[in-house]
Amino acid sequence: MEVKLWNDKREREMYENFSELYAIIKAKEKLEKAYVRDIIPAADYEMECQKLIAHFKTLSSTLRDTLPSIERFHDTYNMDCPAAINRLVISSVPAIVEHRAAAAASGLTSAATMAEFFPLLSDLSGSLNKLSILPPDFEGKTKMKEWIGRLSKMGAADELTEQQARQLHFDLESSYDSFRAALPTAGT
């Protein structure tokens, strides 16, 4: 038995557009999750995001008379894609562009941030070296020494890449965890 989804060419076109819209929203949700989980490089995320936003805007204008609202479409088909709706309908720009704009508005460039951060990292390293409860090969001491070496080789205008910044954050977090584990507990 054959089931017809449409009665004429116009209805068929409408359902095809709905399926494309559905695919764009689902793809955008997956892209947002991949970016948040650091599965996709930032440059690739931005490029693909721009493409999906452009396709979405084109399709939305085509469906303007047929579809009352994208949010209603999203709810009608139980899509559960809040990140995609935020990026496509509300902000209409990739997260990277949004973050750059926020950083520019705050007036802090990553070079300026590094100028403030380097002395703090140096102080931290000095403090760790003074603690006699920590062995000389303590992970935190080693990591801080490596980062100070890397940062001191950088020029005043040089910036950390996103990957380097994430690695620095990871190293600081793991060093802090190791430091807490090395502290004597009460009663010992």
Side-chain angles (χ1 to χ4, degrees):
M1 178 174 165
E2 187 176 311
V3 176
K4 272 190 158 183
L5 297 177
W6 55 84
N7 294 320
D8 57 27
K9 184 179 176 189
R10 198 176 112 180
E11 265 188 29
R12 178 179 178 195
E13 185 73 23
M14 181 190 71
Y15 285 118
E16 284 179 359
N17 286 337
F18 281 3
S19 71
E20 288 175 29
L21 180 62
Y22 188 93
I24 289 170
I25 294 171
K26 283 295 193 177
K28 188 67 188 97
E29 184 73 14
K30 296 291 184 188
L31 183 63
E32 290 297 310
K33 286 181 180 179
Y35 175 66
V36 167
R37 293 177 182 150
D38 201 24
I39 296 171
I40 184 172
D44 293 345
Y45 162 79
E46 186 172 11
M47 182 179 67
E48 294 303 320
C49 191
Q50 292 285 19
K51 281 186 204 174
L52 286 171
I53 290 171
H55 294 307
F56 173 78
K57 286 181 177 180
T58 302
L59 191 56
S60 293
S61 66
T62 303
L63 292 171
R64 167 179 20 165
D65 297 332
T66 312
L67 195 60
S69 81
I70 301 301
E71 292 89 347
R72 190 164 166 196
F73 177 86
H74 176 268
D75 295 341
T76 299
Y77 293 101
N78 299 316
M79 295 186 73
D80 192 31
C81 299
I85 294 300
N86 177 54
R87 194 67 49 216
L88 294 169
V89 177
I90 299 168
S91 73
S92 294
V93 294
I96 293 170
V97 173
E98 217 172 54
H99 299 155
R100 269 190 229 130
S106 75
L108 285 177
T109 64
S110 55
T113 305
M114 285 311 299
E116 295 173 14
F117 187 69
F118 184 79
L120 294 172
L121 199 58
S122 297
D123 287 347
L124 174 61
S125 179
S127 297
L128 286 174
N129 286 326
K130 290 178 187 174
L131 291 172
S132 59
I133 62 167
L134 300 176
D137 64 341
F138 177 69
E139 175 192 13
K141 291 181 183 181
T142 308
K143 294 284 184 191
M144 293 310 105
K145 186 176 179 181
E146 288 172 8
W147 275 107
I148 290 171
R150 280 186 218 161
L151 295 175
S152 64
K153 292 176 187 171
M154 294 175 73
D158 291 343
E159 297 180 0
L160 292 177
T161 65
E162 190 172 331
Q163 183 179 2
Q164 288 172 320
R166 287 182 184 193
Q167 185 63 48
L168 174 57
H169 182 262
F170 174 79
D171 289 345
L172 284 169
E173 288 289 324
S174 65
S175 296
Y176 178 69
D177 291 342
S178 297
F179 173 73
R180 290 198 44 148
L183 289 176
T185 57
T188 56

